[in-house]
Amino acid sequence: MNLPYWQEMMSKLDTKVERMIEQIGDKCPHFAGEDGKFDDIGSDWWTTGFWPGILWIMHDMTGKDSYKEAAWHWDGTLEEWFVKPTVELHHDVGFQFLPTAVIKHTLTGDEDALRRGIEAANFLAARYNPVGKFIRAWNEDKYGWVIIDCMLNISLLFWASKVTGDPRYKHIATSHAETAMQYGIREDGSTKHILSFDAETGAYIENFGGQGYSPESSWSRGTAWGLYGFINTYRHTGDERFLNTAKRIAHYFISALPEDQVPYWDFRLEDDERMFRDSSAAAIAASGLLELADIVPLGEQNLYACAAERILRSLTENYATWDQPEHEAILLHATGSGTSFIDVSVIYGDYYYVEAVAKLNGWKHRIF
């Protein structure tokens, strides 16, 4: 690893994110299109935590109060959704409260942040179906749906067990991971996006393509969620099954990358007209691969660390907005799915890029 290079990138991020504070202001950003301006989506949206998460990491890395001041209020804003008559929160409370309440408490010891994080963990645990052994995705009538994204949300439950001493959160998270591992990961390491179960009996029914190209294709961001999520599950449980699953997904992801190391939105596209890149999948996977490199034996570390660095160098040199100071995002060329948010910037891609670069500079305050 070329540490001076990544120290320089951290310095560039400092300049960039300070500017983003002024540009974004009070907005709740999700995506930025061709004009380079972030939208202002509702604070109940699943991406709400990623902008304050960037700010907390930058505060931790630089010590600057400007980042802490800009990030401080977000967990309180999110908490308001627990008492509103129309609750739109769902399984993604992990994405919302880990980079806000959890990291805030970790870095500052704030007791309100601790309370809010546990409140979110209780909400997530309440979505657990004990017959099917899964955490329900989304709301409305999707009582038996499970998605690969939730593999990172369950980090909130592992944290809750740690800070409360109550093992029930950890048991729920582990049980969900076992179900996702059994039904959601193919033998070759590719992942399925949506699994459907009978909510009454717990019986597995089928899988859907979701944001992927088709039910049997391989959505690259979903693959990244799974890679990172199973690494975290191993870290919290010590269960080798989860480590081996994470490795299998990692090997698939690395081997399926195109020459510039940034995947298309699906690894099994059959439509040349929709060959859209997804820089967010690359950033998520790179941060996960750094976690994997940190826990495997010495002889295996380079495989994952070097893959992560190749991905991050490509993002840094080919996908970043360093020479576009008016652009409010860090990374270009992300894709939500083949039909929505195509070739845009997304705040969660920016978050995982910042997280990964911070790790290369020694950051250790893991929250996912």
Side-chain angles (χ1 to χ4, degrees):
M1 183 183 73
N2 185 347
L3 183 57
Y5 176 87
W6 295 113
Q7 289 173 335
E8 180 185 352
M9 292 311 109
M10 201 70 229
S11 178
K12 279 192 169 187
L13 280 174
D14 188 17
T15 301
K16 178 69 179 179
V17 180
E18 282 276 20
R19 186 183 300 118
M20 289 168 70
I21 292 175
E22 299 299 322
Q23 294 170 324
I24 292 173
D26 294 330
K27 291 192 296 187
C28 184
H30 169 218
F31 83 98
E34 290 184 5
D35 64 358
K37 307 298 182 186
F38 270 118
D39 62 344
D40 184 12
I41 200 146
S43 60
D44 61 326
W45 189 245
W46 74 275
T47 60
T48 310
F50 292 112
W51 169 233
I54 290 171
L55 296 170
W56 280 117
I57 292 174
M58 294 304 298
H59 167 66
D60 199 26
M61 293 299 295
T62 67
K64 290 184 176 179
D65 287 338
S66 56
Y67 292 124
K68 181 172 72 172
E69 291 165 2
W72 189 268
H73 73 281
W74 277 101
D75 57 319
T77 298
L78 286 171
E79 185 187 29
E80 295 173 7
W81 284 101
F82 287 126
V83 296
K84 290 185 177 181
T86 303
V87 178
E88 296 299 333
L89 301 180
H90 46 66
H91 64 277
D92 279 330
V93 290
F95 285 139
Q96 294 169 302
F97 284 86
L98 282 162
T100 55
V102 170
I103 191 171
K104 179 179 178 179
H105 175 259
T106 300
L107 298 181
T108 72
D110 183 74
E111 290 298 315
D112 283 331
L114 175 64
R115 174 180 55 78
R116 290 164 184 151
I118 294 171
E119 185 177 17
N122 289 336
F123 179 91
L124 184 59
R127 301 180 68 84
Y128 180 69
N129 182 315
V131 178
K133 299 182 179 180
F134 61 80
I135 294 170
R136 173 193 174 190
W138 298 312
N139 294 327
E140 300 171 335
D141 61 350
K142 301 175 178 65
Y143 304 110
W145 281 24
V146 177
I147 60 174
I148 192 65
D149 319 38
C150 201
M151 281 304 303
L152 269 184
N153 282 286
I154 62 174
S155 294
L156 179 65
L157 300 178
F158 288 122
W159 168 83
S161 273
K162 181 179 178 181
V163 296
T164 66
D166 189 337
R168 292 177 298 171
Y169 300 103
K170 178 179 177 180
H171 293 329
I172 290 172
T174 304
S175 180
H176 175 88
E178 288 174 333
T179 300
M181 180 172 61
Q182 179 178 355
Y183 295 102
I185 313 302
R186 302 187 184 98
E187 186 176 351
D188 66 356
S190 62
T191 64
K192 304 171 186 178
H193 184 200
I194 302 175
L195 306 175
S196 176
F197 295 84
D198 185 313
E200 183 67 38
T201 68
Y204 175 68
I205 301 173
E206 60 184 329
N207 72 282
F208 306 119
Q211 288 172 254
Y213 181 80
S214 72
E216 298 312 313
S217 69
S218 180
W219 179 44
S220 60
R221 179 153 55 92
T223 311
W225 292 138
L227 188 164
Y228 200 158
F230 280 105
I231 294 165
N232 282 356
T233 303
Y234 169 73
R235 186 183 291 279
H236 290 290
T237 65
D239 189 326
E240 294 283 338
R241 295 175 301 160
F242 298 127
L243 176 60
N244 291 333
T245 299
K247 286 182 178 181
R248 199 161 82 245
I249 300 171
H251 298 165
Y252 175 84
F253 192 99
I254 294 168
S255 67
L257 288 173
E259 187 174 351
D260 80 342
Q261 305 298 300
V262 175
Y264 298 100
W265 64 279
D266 195 299
F267 285 123
R268 294 177 178 162
L269 288 172
E270 297 178 3
D271 185 347
D272 290 344
E273 295 182 358
R274 290 195 285 168
M275 301 288 282
F276 312 123
R277 301 282 183 166
D278 186 9
S279 58
S280 73
I284 297 161
S287 194
L289 287 167
L290 290 174
E291 292 297 316
L292 188 51
D294 191 57
I295 59 177
V296 296
L298 182 61
E300 298 180 34
Q301 290 175 3
N302 275 346
L303 169 63
Y304 305 115
C306 290
E309 190 165 6
R310 288 194 302 270
I311 293 169
L312 290 168
R313 276 183 174 270
S314 183
L315 291 174
T316 300
E317 295 167 11
N318 304 314
Y319 289 77
T321 61
W322 309 125
D323 60 349
Q324 300 177 50
E326 73 286 353
H327 202 294
E328 294 179 358
I330 299 169
L331 296 180
L332 302 168
H333 308 309
T335 297
S337 72
T339 58
S340 64
F341 304 115
I342 295 170
D343 196 21
V344 297
S345 298
V346 290
I347 195 65
Y348 49 90
D350 288 356
Y351 171 83
Y352 286 101
Y353 176 78
V354 171
E355 184 186 78
V357 173
K359 289 175 183 177
L360 289 173
N361 281 276
W363 189 65
K364 295 294 185 183
H365 284 123
R366 300 179 180 89
I367 51 172
F368 282 104

